[in-house]
Each structure stands twice: as structure tokens, then as C-alpha cells.
Amino acid sequence: MKSLDGENFAIDNSLIVSPPSDNRPVIAFCSCVVLVGCVRGLQPALVLALAPIAFFTTFLVVIFIGNSISKKFMDFSSGILLRHVLKKLDHKFSRVRTELLKGIKGNVLDVGCGSGEYFKYYAKSTQITSLVAMEPNICLHPSMKQKLNDLSPAFPVEITPKFIEDLPGNGVFDAVVLGNVLCEIPNVPQALKHVNRLLKRGGRVYFSEHVIYDGYLPRRLQDLINPIWVVVSGGCNCNRDTMARIREQPWQVIHWRFESQLIGPFEVGV
């Protein structure tokens, strides 16, 4: 149990939701490979077994080339990838996010809100007065609008493709949410400077970000993968020391670390 300004947060690993396991497709595919091997011989069975690897490799190459030469293609492909990945992450961290955001209130800014996975947590609140949903990738806006139509929140919502440095004013928001976005922002210190500008005195910053590993070898592996990952994912960097940037801010921070996630540990906090 950790506390901030009198609010208690009961967050730990017990809140992580394991995805339902379904091995039937794998079993069916392996059975097909064995059957082909028995009927047609070893060579056709090997071809069938390697087909998914060849398909996946070709898919990654197409995405890599397309994202490298076309911003529109990158927005489109990353929009598809993000919707899938963020949905799985939200399922896994749903109870963590429910606990983390239970006291969010006032005027809220969701920075880089993706396809709007956090909207359902906001809709549960009776203390939010307005929401600005900021997402520069307009390919994700239809998903956000659909979620809002389904949820019908009791507060006004503005969807904007602006970047945080383009938002006007000082001390505008009671809460700023950073959900898997600091990995993509080109200049994190500058972006956090604007978060401080837009945040009201006494306001809160909620964050959920994947971060760099602690060990030397895992960090070097992230560094090795990142040049390819950042193109395939449409801008996500898997090797950023995001917590170091957060600790540089004039904030009182409490946070929780969740190890062994898809592309690195996750840090969740406020």
C-alpha cells in the first residue's frame, strides 16, 4: 500500500490479469505438420512448418520498408499495430489502471491517448469535468470516437491531433495522463516541461510507461533491437530510461514496477 496526498493505492502484482490461454491453434497446426510428414514426407512437412516464419518475416520487412518511406503508411500500419497491442496491454493492466485512476478529477489531459483505452476508466469517474484527448495519429481517431459513443461519458470530450507543445495556456489541467507515450515523443524533457506548464498547481500526473531493463545484457539487447523496432512500431523506442526523466521533475512520485513485459518492464505511478 502506497499513499499520496492522503489517497491510498493498493497496487501490486496480484492485480495483473493473465490473458486467457488457448493452445488449440498451435496444437492444430502441429498436428497438420505431423500429418503432412506422415503422408507426404519430411520435406513438405518442413515447408509447412517454416511457412509461418516466412510469412511473419515478410510482413515485418514490408512494414519496415513502408514505414521508412511513407509517413501516411507509418500512421496507418502503426494504428493497426497499436490498436492490437494496446488492447492486450489494457486487458493485462485493467485492474491496475482502475486502482490508479480511481481518484482522477477535474480537467484531464490524456497525452497520446492512442485508440482511447483509458476512456472507460475516465467514464467511471464522477469527478472529471472535462477531457482533452490528444492523439496526433488521426488513423486512431475513429476508434476513439466509437469508444466515446459506446461509453457516453458525463463530461465534454475534445479530440485533438495537436502535439503537447501546441496546446495553449498555463495551469489548465488538474490531471495529465501519460500512457505509453513517452517512448514515442522525440524530446521527452521538452514534453515534460510543457506538462508542467499545463498542469495546475497541486495537479497530478498519472503515468504507465515501458522502460529500459536494469541489467547490462538486457539493456544492450534493447539498444540492438531499437533501430528496427522504432521503425516497425511507428515511433516507439524500447530503450528509454523514462523513470530517470520522470525523477528529474519537481514532482512527489510514487510508482510500481512490473517486470518481464513484452518489450521491457512497466512503470506505473502518479
Side-chain angles (χ1 to χ4, degrees):
M1 182 80 71
K2 296 183 180 181
S3 301
L4 182 67
D5 298 331
E7 183 178 0
N8 296 323
F9 297 88
I11 294 177
D12 55 34
N13 280 294
S14 68
L15 296 184
I16 294 294
V17 179
S18 300
S21 58
D22 186 356
N23 296 322
R24 287 176 296 178
V26 176
I27 294 173
F29 177 74
C30 292
S31 301
C32 288
V33 172
V34 172
L35 180 61
V36 169
C38 293
V39 176
R40 302 296 299 272
L42 180 60
Q43 185 174 355
L46 285 174
V47 171
L48 179 60
L50 294 174
I53 299 175
F55 175 81
F56 185 67
T57 302
T58 303
F59 172 77
L60 289 180
V61 169
V62 170
I63 295 295
F64 184 85
I65 295 174
N67 286 359
S68 299
I69 62 178
S70 172
K71 178 66 167 58
K72 287 186 177 180
F73 185 90
M74 178 184 285
D75 287 345
F76 174 75
S77 63
S78 63
I80 296 174
L81 176 65
L82 280 173
R83 280 195 294 270
H84 177 72
V85 173
L86 293 178
K87 184 177 181 180
K88 285 187 172 296
L89 276 175
D90 185 64
H91 174 78
K92 190 168 189 174
F93 284 92
S94 58
R95 293 194 294 179
V96 173
R97 291 173 176 176
T98 297
E99 178 67 13
L100 181 72
L101 298 169
K102 63 184 179 182
I104 194 168
K105 60 185 178 181
N107 300 320
V108 177
L109 170 64
D110 191 335
V111 180
C113 57
S115 56
E117 297 301 332
Y118 283 80
F119 288 175
K120 60 177 172 287
Y121 306 107
Y122 305 148
K124 296 176 183 177
S125 172
T126 58
Q127 301 182 80
I128 291 179
T129 53
S130 70
L131 170 66
V132 174
M134 194 185 76
E135 177 50 62
N137 187 347
I138 61 174
C139 293
L140 294 168
H141 287 198
S143 296
M144 287 194 286
K145 292 176 181 177
Q146 182 59 54
K147 285 184 174 69
L148 290 173
N149 286 336
D150 294 340
L151 291 167
S152 298
F155 46 83
V157 179
E158 177 190 350
I159 296 175
T160 176
K162 291 180 179 179
F163 293 93
I164 192 166
E165 59 266 27
D166 300 322
L167 296 181
N170 296 283
V172 178
F173 298 100
D174 299 282
V176 176
V177 178
L178 305 170
N180 304 312
V181 66
L182 294 181
C183 60
E184 296 187 32
I185 293 175
N187 190 330
V188 174
Q190 187 68 15
L192 293 177
K193 180 180 178 181
H194 286 289
V195 169
N196 286 315
R197 171 179 63 84
L198 293 165
L199 195 65
K200 290 181 180 179
R201 186 177 181 85
R204 284 186 174 181
V205 177
Y206 298 85
F207 61 89
S208 173
E209 299 283 344
H210 64 82
V211 299
I212 197 166
Y213 281 107
D214 287 332
Y216 175 81
L217 289 179
R219 283 193 175 201
R220 298 293 75 80
L221 181 60
Q222 283 179 306
D223 291 338
L224 183 65
I225 293 173
N226 193 65
I228 299 174
W229 174 256
V230 73
V231 177
V232 172
S233 64
C236 170
N237 292 271
C238 65
N239 64 341
R240 285 187 172 174
D241 193 356
T242 301
M243 279 309 300
R245 305 289 79 77
I246 289 176
R247 290 190 184 100
E248 292 169 354
Q249 307 309 308
W251 306 336
Q252 179 185 355
V253 178
I254 57 172
H255 62 102
W256 299 262
R257 187 178 180 91
F258 297 92
E259 301 288 351
S260 302
Q261 305 306 316
L262 176 64
I263 52 178
F266 262 74
E267 290 279 359
V268 176
V270 57

